[in-house]
Amino acid sequence: MRTHRTRTSLGALAVAALLTLSACGGGGSSKADPASSSSDSASADASASAGADLEGVPEVVAEVNGEEVTRDEFAPIYSAQLAQAQAQAQSGGPAPDEEALKKQTVDDLVDTELLAQEADSRGIEVSDDDIDAELTTLAEQNGMKSGDELLAAIAKQGMDEETARDQVETQVMVERLVADEDGPFKPTDKELRALYAQAAKQAKASGSGQVPPFAKVRDQLVEQARTQEIGSVAGALVKSLRKDADITVNL
């Protein structure tokens, strides 16, 4: 077992997509989308991380049921998200609202801590071996041979190994908590075909080309449906946990 408390941004609860984004330099949606292209290839430059303005950020950015979320925990997550937003702005997106991004980062960290505390109360644990196995799976999904190769690709985008492993630990923890809360997720063929139709419609509207046949992207559609379900269940759980939580945000 890892001995420190994982604190990392949940974002859209799609850490696998975040790591894919970091490794491959993609942009846009955090969902696995078979219709998406790699046209938005601007990567989150590590130099943007160094340029993040942390003036006014307190040593303790939030407290959640007595547990402190510190500036040191906030800084790398905020910097990485700012770098991604700046890269998207360079590709034609809107300029990032840094104050709004800071608030969102704190909110995500608070949500992560609430879910981690709930996972602890249910006896849900994530070991180093679990993290290694998930990294291997992510590497294979990205056409790489090993978790180390994936980590090396991520490092080139400015995310260090510890932060990447924490992202994976959070994702595995959330997935197990969601499974404990809602049971195993098995999308129906009807649900997958609805996602496929949506992807085809988006591809046509954007002029990005024809969507591959359903059978070829079925695995991606399953992952997209799974990601959406995790986000939905975890979001509802966070909303419930917030009602009784003692939360103080200092930012």
Side-chain angles (χ1 to χ4, degrees):
M1 276 296 298
R2 290 155 73 80
T3 58
H4 69 280
R5 163 77 75 186
T6 294
R7 285 219 181 80
T8 183
S9 175
L10 284 174
L13 293 166
V15 175
L18 173 60
L19 292 176
T20 301
L21 171 69
S22 299
C24 301
S29 174
S30 63
K31 299 185 182 70
D33 185 350
S36 66
S37 70
S38 59
S39 59
D40 184 9
S41 60
S43 65
D45 193 334
S47 64
S49 176
D53 181 9
L54 298 175
E55 184 178 355
V57 177
E59 288 298 318
V60 177
V61 297
E63 294 181 36
V64 184
N65 295 325
E67 290 285 345
E68 294 182 345
V69 180
T70 69
R71 173 191 171 114
D72 288 343
E73 293 164 331
F74 168 90
I77 301 302
Y78 168 69
S79 296
Q81 292 186 345
L82 177 61
Q84 181 182 334
Q86 289 172 334
Q88 290 174 349
Q90 291 173 359
S91 299
D97 182 335
E98 295 187 27
E99 291 306 311
L101 190 58
K102 286 177 182 177
K103 183 180 184 304
Q104 184 60 57
T105 301
V106 173
D107 286 345
D108 284 346
L109 288 166
V110 168
D111 290 348
T112 303
E113 178 60 25
L114 285 169
L115 291 175
Q117 290 178 11
E118 181 66 14
D120 283 347
S121 73
R122 300 188 189 194
I124 295 171
E125 299 180 344
V126 180
S127 69
D128 283 325
D129 287 344
D130 294 329
I131 296 169
D132 289 337
E134 183 66 13
L135 281 168
T136 298
T137 298
L138 291 171
E140 291 172 352
Q141 291 173 351
N142 284 284
M144 299 179 186
K145 296 180 180 179
S146 68
D148 286 342
E149 186 178 351
L150 176 62
L151 289 171
I154 293 168
K156 291 180 180 179
Q157 308 303 326
M159 180 185 287
D160 62 47
E161 179 176 339
E162 182 177 3
T163 301
R165 289 181 68 86
D166 282 350
Q167 290 278 5
V168 173
E169 182 179 4
T170 296
Q171 180 67 11
V172 175
M173 177 271 291
V174 171
E175 289 175 356
R176 292 182 178 180
L177 182 57
V178 165
D180 187 69
E181 177 75 9
D182 201 50
F185 174 64
K186 295 182 180 179
T188 66
D189 192 68
K190 182 178 180 180
E191 290 170 333
L192 295 179
R193 288 193 177 277
L195 286 175
Y196 181 78
Q198 181 183 29
K201 183 178 179 181
Q202 291 173 346
K204 183 177 180 180
S206 65
S208 59
Q210 188 174 0
V211 179
F214 176 81
K216 287 190 175 182
V217 295
R218 192 178 191 282
D219 288 346
Q220 289 174 269
L221 292 166
V222 170
E223 186 59 31
Q224 180 179 346
R226 180 170 171 267
T227 295
Q228 290 177 349
E229 179 69 7
I230 290 171
S232 177
V233 175
L237 185 55
V238 164
K239 186 176 180 180
S240 176
L241 293 171
R242 275 182 171 268
K243 291 180 181 178
D244 299 320
D246 182 9
I247 299 171
T248 301
V249 175
N250 302 318
L251 184 61

